[in-house]
């Protein structure tokens, strides 16, 4: 028998009014049956936010896990992403994602990374149409810097709801946080458990003192900063323990110590 876990219930309200759970489940590099198993385990553990992408090649598996989970579609926040190579073909790409995901809309659709030159503006215009038509409830970008965020906003009148970027205590930068907050753009982090975070002595020390895992400390740090965090795992125990972060809080001192691991 598995012990019960305490999930966080923190959400952030996005530009068009959707409530996005701050904790989601990442699915990069999980394919085939393993993707069905992992996404099913995440839903079973209580995650209500799944992150996939056209280029992950697992939207069909994520969709199958969701359909078979019995969890109502409207209780799950579903993100997918469009590669910029699909410029000119954006809506067909989204419709293919929707078919695979077995749904009539995604909650968030992201430009996966910036395209060349001014192509982002055209892609972003198509994203605006997808939002108007309801195929994507919210639209955003990934791997954009603040100059690019401003460029697409000025060109189209649509502000990205979210920017998904690589992020962790080791990458914390108050200026980047301010860049997003000033623009009303939610900062969503990825690869929080990579780049040496799990072995960092400060993080390990806090984890040991609190009787938590390093991953839980990192995930909890995101939640207390109102950053979205989407840990990935194929291991059912880790899937559960990464979500078991609702029942403790990091002190102000520990939050400050973690902030100093980045640029402060
Ligand atoms: N927009 C983008 O360009 C972009 C880029 C990268 C990622 N992402 C998104 O962000 C998600 C998360 O990023 P990520 O996949 O790079 O990795 P991550 O969440 O940082 O996880 C990295 C690795 O840590 C391991 N792990 C997970 N929980 C653990 C734990 N409790 N203790 C020890 N190890 C643990 C996992 O291995 P096991 O599976 O073996 O547990 C995983 O392979 C992705 O899945 C994807 O959805 C987006």
């Amino acid at each position: 028998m598995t012990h019960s876990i305490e999930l966080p219930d923190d959400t952030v309200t996005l530009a068009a009014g959707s409530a996005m759970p701050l904790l989601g489940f990442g699915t990069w590099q999980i394919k085939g049956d393993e993707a069905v198993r992992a996404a099913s385990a995440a839903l079973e553990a209580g995650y209500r936010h799944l992150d996939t992408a056209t280029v992950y090649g697992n939207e069909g598996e994520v969709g199958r896990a969701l359909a078979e989970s019995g969890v109502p579609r409207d209780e799950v926040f579903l993100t997918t992403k469009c590669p910029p190579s699909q410029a000119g073909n954006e809506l067909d790409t989204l419709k293919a994602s929707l078919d695979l995901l077995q749904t009539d809309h995604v909650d968030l659709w992201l430009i996966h990374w910036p395209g060349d030159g001014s192509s982002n503006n055209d892609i972003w215009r198509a994203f605006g149409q997808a939002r108007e038509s309801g195929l994507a409830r919210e639209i955003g970008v990934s791997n954009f810097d603040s100059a690019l965020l401003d460029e697409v906003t000025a060109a189209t009148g649509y502000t990205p709801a979210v920017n998904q970027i690589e992020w962790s205590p080791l990458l914390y930068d108050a200026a980047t946080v301010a860049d997003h907050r000033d623009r009303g753009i939610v900062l969503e982090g990825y690869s929080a458990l990579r780049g040496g975070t799990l072995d960092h002595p400060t993080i390990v020390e806090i984890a040991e003192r609190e009787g938590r895992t390093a991953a839980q400390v990192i995930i909890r740090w995101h939640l207390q900063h109102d950053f979205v965090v989407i840990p990935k795992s194929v291991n059912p125990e880790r899937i559960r323990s990464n979500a078991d972060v609702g029942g403790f809080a990091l002190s102000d001192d520990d939050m400050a110590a973690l902030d100093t691991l980045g640029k402060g």
Side-chain angles (χ1 to χ4, degrees), residues 178-191:
D179 279 347
H180 287 81
R181 299 242 155 103
D182 291 349
R183 290 166 175 77
I185 298 172
V186 170
L187 193 163
E188 175 173 20
Y190 69 70
S191 298

Side-chain angles (χ1 to χ4, degrees), residues 7 9-10 12 29 38 47 53 58 61 67 71 74 82 93 126 133 143 158 161 204 209 211 232 243:
L7 282 118
D9 59 5
D10 313 66
V12 59
Q29 295 177 320
Y47 292 75
N58 63 16
E61 287 75 12
V71 179
D74 63 3
C82 177
T93 305
S133 67
N143 300 303
Y158 295 107
V204 169
R209 175 159 41 80
K232 166 264 172 187

Side-chain angles (χ1 to χ4, degrees), residues 50-70:
L50 304 174
D51 182 271
T52 180
T54 292
V55 300
Y56 295 174
N58 63 16
E59 289 171 307
E61 287 75 12
V62 170
R64 196 179 126 198
L66 180 53
E68 290 175 356
S69 70

Side-chain angles (χ1 to χ4, degrees), residues 24-30 34 38 47 50-53 55-56 58 79 81 110-113 141-143 163-167 188-195 197-198 213-216 218-219 229-239 241-242:
F25 182 68
T27 67
W28 181 39
Q29 295 177 320
I30 321 182
E34 188 165 61
Y47 292 75
L50 304 174
D51 182 271
T52 180
V55 300
Y56 295 174
N58 63 16
T79 299
K81 317 185 191 81
L110 304 177
I111 303 180
H112 203 151
W113 61 87
V141 297
S142 181
N143 300 303
N163 187 22
Q164 185 181 112
I165 57 174
E166 189 174 4
W167 196 243
E188 175 173 20
Y190 69 70
S191 298
L193 309 180
R194 293 190 194 273
T197 53
L198 292 171
T213 68
Q216 288 173 328
I218 294 162
I219 293 163
V229 58
I230 46 174
K232 166 264 172 187
S233 180
V234 294
N235 175 313
E237 264 315 300
R238 287 173 173 176
I239 290 170
S241 94
N242 290 346

Side-chain angles (χ1 to χ4, degrees), residues 122-146:
D122 294 334
I123 301 171
W124 190 238
R125 225 167 264 117
F127 268 57
Q129 287 162 10
R131 197 187 75 185
E132 303 293 344
S133 67
L135 297 178
R137 295 263 164 94
E138 306 275 355
I139 52 174
V141 297
S142 181
N143 300 303
F144 274 41
D145 62 21
S146 43

